Amino acid sequence: MSRGAEALDLPVWNTASALSWGSRRSNAMAHLDSDVKEESLREDLKFYFMNPCEKYRARHQIPWKLGLQILKILMVTTQLIRFGLSNQLVVAFKEENTVAFKYLFLKGYSGTDEDNYSCSVYNQEDAYESIFYAVNQYHRLKNISLGTVGYGENEENKIGLKVCKQHYKKGAMFPLKETLNIYSDIETDCIYLDLRALSRNSEDWKNSSFFTLEFYRLLQVKISFRLKGIDLQTILSRELPDCYVFQNTITFDNKAHSGKIKIYFDSDANIEECKGLNISGSVQKNTQYVLAFDAFVIVICLASLILCTRSIVLALRLRKRFLKFFLEKYQRHVCNADQWEFINGWYVLVIISDLMTIIGSILKMEIQVKNITNYDLCSILLGTSTLLVWVGVIRYLGYFQKYNVLILTMQASLPKVLRFCACAGMIYLGYTFCGWIVLGPYHNKDVETAGGDQSVHFIAAWDLFVGHLSSQRIIK
């Protein structure tokens, strides 16, 4: 019976052992698979956080992004310099025309603006002469101007100038009795003088009732007209010329009624597409070369954009693997700070700069062929993208130990520096407002004064203020 019982128990013992051995084997296989996954994840994490040189030593992976970024820096900087030189000609042409217009249309203009206005008059005769002088100079423009400017049409497609005056509706002044009656409603009267009217006897329009000004209730006289010009200096730079429309306004400001009429000259220059350009020679060839260069810059930036976007996508996949593994093994979630380590901010910076460079290059090509004339927007895009590209170089300097110390110091000190600037800014703003109200009225604001040593004028204003306080104490 015992042997039979033993015989009956033997199969039971073998089955349990087999199940136990199979469970241990499956656990061992699962543990081995987990170790393989962990080791693979460890290697991928280690490789991801390597710099390009270490990646090349580890897997002989060519640092395409590094080489592309170096090439892009050279290309984008060259493109920006060329566009900057062209844009400099545009700005210089606008400013020089504004100065030329002031000499042409403002009588007695000295070449230096008085504070924020161009010049001023102090008696009625000079006021009339200044108004008539501007109108006559407009009529004689083709015979006296040295520039490539001509008459332009206004909103009504007419060639001429518009003279408007603003004044109080009614008024009566008796200085001897120290009485003044003013109806504060403002009226605006305008007259349009075309070339035909100006070609007639000048006494006809000068003696009209419109130009009979009552200065005690006059607020301002405004003369507005349009001129057109062509910038031919770009041809010397082997570029197609730009056509300009200058909206000029001369304002005789008498709002203060202080016995001084300030004369303002404003010129708003807009670039428009030239019609009927027929320029041959080296200009056309140079334009084609520049367009080819801009197209190559766009291709380089597209390649950089694709590579950086691919790196971010791979980083997000790696982060997903890491989060899943960490949760399965440790039953814990990774903190947000560690999750953000997978997002390389330098790649985001490069992507933004690439997008701005691509858009700016397209605008530049359109400007080059004179389809659009938005120089300002193109300057903002190309300038900001070049700034971001050069800032991105700091990332590669961080691979060297000596430079990395400086970068880490800057990262650690940046929050404290920003907090200090916020506190110091409050003090500076308070000092600015206080100085403006206390010292500002005593400060001479002429351009010649503003161009001098500001510290001298501040000390003079401060001495005047202290002297004023001292005199008040003595009187008390």
Side-chain angles (χ1 to χ4, degrees):
M1 291 294 295
S2 61
R3 293 180 178 177
E6 292 177 357
L8 292 174
D9 291 339
L10 183 59
V12 175
W13 181 85
N14 290 336
T15 303
S17 299
L19 293 175
S20 176
W21 181 81
S23 177
R24 288 197 302 269
R25 182 178 179 183
S26 61
N27 291 335
M29 293 295 293
H31 183 71
L32 181 61
D33 186 58
S34 177
D35 290 342
V36 171
K37 291 183 179 180
E38 181 178 356
E39 186 64 25
S40 175
L41 180 61
R42 191 190 305 274
E43 291 294 330
D44 292 340
L45 290 173
K46 181 180 179 180
F47 183 78
Y48 174 76
F49 289 102
M50 287 181 180
N51 60 50
C53 297
E54 293 174 344
K55 290 181 178 179
Y56 180 76
R57 297 191 193 100
R59 300 183 183 179
H60 296 285
Q61 179 175 329
I62 300 177
W64 296 105
K65 289 192 293 294
L66 175 59
L68 200 60
Q69 295 305 315
I70 295 175
L71 178 61
K72 189 177 72 173
I73 289 175
L74 298 176
M75 300 290 293
V76 170
T77 305
T78 304
Q79 181 191 46
L80 182 69
I81 292 174
R82 288 190 56 86
F83 181 75
L85 294 175
S86 177
N87 194 26
Q88 186 177 0
L89 295 178
V90 173
V91 176
F93 185 77
K94 293 179 181 179
E95 293 179 351
E96 291 174 2
N97 272 274
T98 300
V99 175
F101 292 155
K102 289 182 180 180
Y103 276 103
L104 284 175
F105 299 107
L106 300 182
K107 184 178 181 180
Y109 180 67
S110 62
T112 303
D113 289 350
E114 302 177 14
D115 198 5
N116 60 338
Y117 52 92
S118 299
C119 55
S120 57
V121 293
Y122 297 90
N123 56 65
Q124 296 184 12
E125 182 180 357
D126 290 342
Y128 280 115
E129 289 182 357
S130 298
I131 294 173
F132 297 151
Y133 179 83
V135 177
N136 287 327
Q137 290 293 95
Y138 175 82
H139 179 231
R140 300 171 53 236
L141 179 65
K142 290 185 178 181
N143 298 327
I144 61 176
S145 176
L146 296 176
T148 56
V149 293
Y151 299 115
E153 299 84 3
N154 59 6
E155 295 83 357
E156 300 176 357
N157 295 325
K158 296 181 180 180
I159 296 178
L161 49 80
K162 185 179 181 181
V163 184
C164 295
K165 62 179 182 180
Q166 287 185 357
H167 51 81
Y168 292 117
K169 188 173 183 179
K170 295 179 181 180
M173 182 179 62
F174 304 98
L176 293 177
K177 299 181 180 180
E178 298 181 353
T179 59
L180 175 66
N181 297 323
I182 287 292
Y183 187 18
S184 60
D185 287 350
I186 298 176
E187 289 184 341
T188 301
D189 298 329
C190 295
I191 186 174
Y192 183 80
L193 299 174
D194 56 10
L195 293 179
R196 291 183 179 180
L198 296 176
S199 299
R200 302 169 188 166
N201 188 3
S202 61
E203 299 299 328
D204 294 340
W205 56 268
K206 285 183 180 180
N207 295 329
S208 65
S209 60
F210 178 84
F211 289 102
T212 302
L213 305 177
E214 297 177 351
F215 289 93
Y216 71 92
R217 66 188 184 101
L218 177 69
L219 294 176
Q220 69 177 16
V221 176
K222 184 176 293 186
I223 303 174
S224 58
F225 53 92
R226 284 187 179 183
L227 299 176
K228 290 185 177 182
I230 302 177
D231 185 8
L232 297 181
Q233 63 179 336
T234 56
I235 297 179
L236 298 177
S237 303
R238 297 182 179 181
E239 295 182 7
L240 296 175
D242 290 317
C243 292
Y244 293 79
V245 175
F246 299 96
Q247 178 64 48
N248 300 318
T249 303
I250 304 174
T251 304
F252 296 82
D253 188 2
N254 191 40
K255 295 178 181 178
H257 290 86
S258 60
K260 176 181 179 180
I261 295 181
K262 302 176 183 179
I263 303 176
Y264 297 87
F265 185 91
D266 296 322
S267 181
D268 186 14
N270 295 319
I271 306 176
E272 294 185 353
E273 182 181 355
C274 293
K275 299 178 181 179
L277 281 179
N278 186 13
I279 300 175
S280 58
S282 59
V283 175
Q284 295 290 346
K285 295 181 180 179
N286 183 74
T287 302
Q288 295 175 359
Y289 294 150
V290 174
L291 292 177
F293 180 81
D294 293 335
F296 185 64
V297 172
I298 294 176
V299 173
I300 294 296
C301 292
L302 280 175
S304 174
L305 177 65
I306 294 173
L307 289 177
C308 291
T309 305
R310 172 180 171 274
S311 298
I312 290 180
V313 172
L314 295 177
L316 293 176
R317 292 179 180 176
L318 181 61
R319 186 182 70 168
K320 184 177 181 180
R321 286 175 55 197
F322 174 71
L323 296 179
K324 182 179 179 180
F325 171 80
F326 198 85
L327 183 61
E328 291 177 353
K329 185 170 184 178
Y330 300 102
Q331 287 78 41
R332 292 175 57 188
H333 293 280
V334 181
C335 63
N336 293 329
D338 291 337
Q339 293 186 32
W340 280 105
E341 290 293 330
F342 289 88
I343 306 300
N344 195 326
W346 296 109
Y347 290 156
V348 178
L349 187 71
V350 171
I351 290 175
I352 295 175
S353 67
D354 288 336
L355 290 175
M356 298 182 72
T357 303
I358 292 172
I359 299 175
S361 298
I362 295 174
L363 289 177
K364 182 177 179 296
M365 295 174 69
E366 293 294 322
I367 292 174
Q368 194 71 30
V369 297
K370 305 307 175 184
N371 289 334
I372 61 175
T373 56
N374 200 337
Y375 280 87
D376 294 335
L377 178 58
C378 186
S379 299
I380 294 173
L381 292 173
L382 293 182
T384 307
S385 65
T386 305
L387 171 63
L388 297 180
V389 168
W390 280 99
V391 170
V393 178
I394 299 177
R395 177 202 175 201
Y396 301 106
L397 294 178
Y399 298 147
F400 302 96
Q401 184 176 2
K402 294 182 179 180
Y403 293 100
N404 193 37
V405 172
L406 176 61
I407 295 173
L408 294 177
T409 303
M410 293 172 60
Q411 291 178 351
S413 61
L414 183 60
K416 297 181 180 179
V417 171
L418 293 177
R419 286 193 292 268
F420 170 79
C421 291
C423 297
M426 298 297 177
I427 300 174
Y428 182 76
L429 286 175
Y431 166 78
T432 302
F433 288 115
C434 178
W436 172 69
I437 193 63
V438 176
L439 305 177
Y442 302 98
H443 180 60
N444 191 2
K445 301 177 182 63
D446 291 340
V447 172
E448 295 179 358
T449 301
D453 187 3
Q454 296 295 332
S455 61
V456 175
H457 307 308
F458 175 78
I459 294 174
W462 178 256
D463 291 339
L464 182 61
F465 174 67
V466 173
H468 175 70
L469 293 180
S470 301
S471 62
Q472 293 295 328
R473 292 178 181 176
I474 293 175
I475 293 174
K476 291 181 180 180

